[in-house]
Amino acid sequence: MSEPKALPAEIERILYTEEQVQQRIREVAVEISNRYRGCDLKLIGVLKGSVFFLTALARAIDIPVKIDFLSISSFSTKTTAPGLVRIAKDLDESIEGEDVLLVEDIVDTGFTARYLLQTLAARSPNSLAVCTLLDRTSRRIVQVPVEFRCFEIPDRFVVGCGLDYKQLYRNLGYVAVMKLERNQ
Ligand code: IMP
Ligand code: MG
């Protein structure tokens, strides 16, 4: 075994190790494979946060699966109403008649997931559900159905496995709590 690497200075502690994350992704992939066997499954990732989770999940799913991506911008500044979201880069292909799983890094207030579910539902998929790496139900403002999730997390700002702080730390294999004032 190699020596454990020092944590980056801005990181307080590891919440889920890389092994725990990979193990949980494999478990959820089994659930998804069983649920969607015989279906026309498409994973839709929300750039950029869900890329790492989506690829690990897709690798662990053992039924045929398509993937596509979209990206959004949200305007939740103090001067605008919170939770305003719009699509900045749309999907490449139609989802009509497909069984769509929206893959998220984290569902927090729920605004992003709700907006995307509404938008995608209008495009006539055969079915539509949400799969998220992290779920923070304690901060939910709008209710959204989350069918598959790897971890329910406490009210702390986290990074790693695709989640960023100022665009950094997405490439960490573990999920970690940041040293931030809001986390004290
Ligand atoms: P929601 O619309 O409030 O559910 O927020 C979803 C988005 O906020 C996520 O896709 C993340 O980009 C971002 N976000 C929320 N919490 C965290 C966090 O703890 N770390 C990093 N990004 C976060
Ligand atoms: Mg994000």
Side-chain angles (χ1 to χ4, degrees):
M1 279 262 291
S2 54
E3 287 288 303
K5 291 193 199 99
L7 294 179
E10 286 187 300
I11 282 172
E12 184 188 298
R13 66 188 161 96
I14 294 179
L15 199 54
Y16 299 108
T17 65
E18 187 161 357
E19 289 69 29
Q20 287 172 318
V21 171
Q22 294 306 329
Q23 172 59 29
R24 190 65 195 119
I25 291 176
R26 282 194 292 273
E27 290 169 5
V28 171
V30 169
E31 271 182 63
I32 291 172
S33 303
N34 291 337
R35 183 84 64 87
Y36 289 92
R37 209 168 296 280
C39 299
D40 217 353
L41 178 61
K42 179 178 278 182
L43 305 181
I44 292 185
V46 186
L47 295 171
K48 304 186 263 290
S50 76
V51 168
F52 292 80
F53 174 44
L54 184 142
T55 53
L57 187 69
R59 290 287 300 271
I61 286 175
D62 70 357
I63 59 170
V65 60
K66 296 177 187 168
I67 63 174
D68 204 346
F69 293 96
L70 52 75
S71 84
I72 50 160
S73 24
S74 25
F75 320 77
S76 309
T77 63
K78 289 193 180 86
T79 51
T80 61
L84 284 178
V85 183
R86 72 170 178 85
I87 291 186
K89 177 228 172 281
D90 208 335
L91 298 173
D92 288 335
E93 289 175 25
S94 160
I95 56 168
E96 194 176 336
E98 294 180 325
D99 294 289
V100 171
L101 205 45
L102 179 66
V103 180
E104 273 280 19
D105 51 355
I106 183 167
V107 180
D108 186 29
T109 62
F111 281 116
T112 308
R114 185 182 63 171
Y115 168 79
L116 290 175
L117 283 175
Q118 283 171 349
T119 305
L120 296 174
R123 301 180 186 187
S124 312
N126 182 53
S127 68
L128 180 57
V130 175
C131 174
T132 189
L133 176 66
L134 307 177
D135 195 356
R136 193 157 50 208
T137 51
S138 59
R139 277 174 41 96
R140 200 73 97 245
I141 296 174
V142 294
Q143 294 311 311
V144 281
V146 174
E147 274 82 359
F148 305 94
R149 70 159 166 228
C150 293
F151 302 103
E152 161 84 46
I153 64 161
D155 188 8
R156 296 286 183 278
F157 191 89
V158 295
V159 292
C161 296
L163 290 108
D164 73 300
Y165 175 68
K166 298 183 179 172
Q167 298 303 328
L168 285 173
Y169 307 119
R170 293 190 195 275
N171 61 328
L172 298 177
Y174 49 82
V175 175
V177 176
M178 285 286 299
K179 281 181 193 160
L180 289 178
E181 228 165 81
R182 71 164 264 200
N183 280 345
Q184 300 318 305

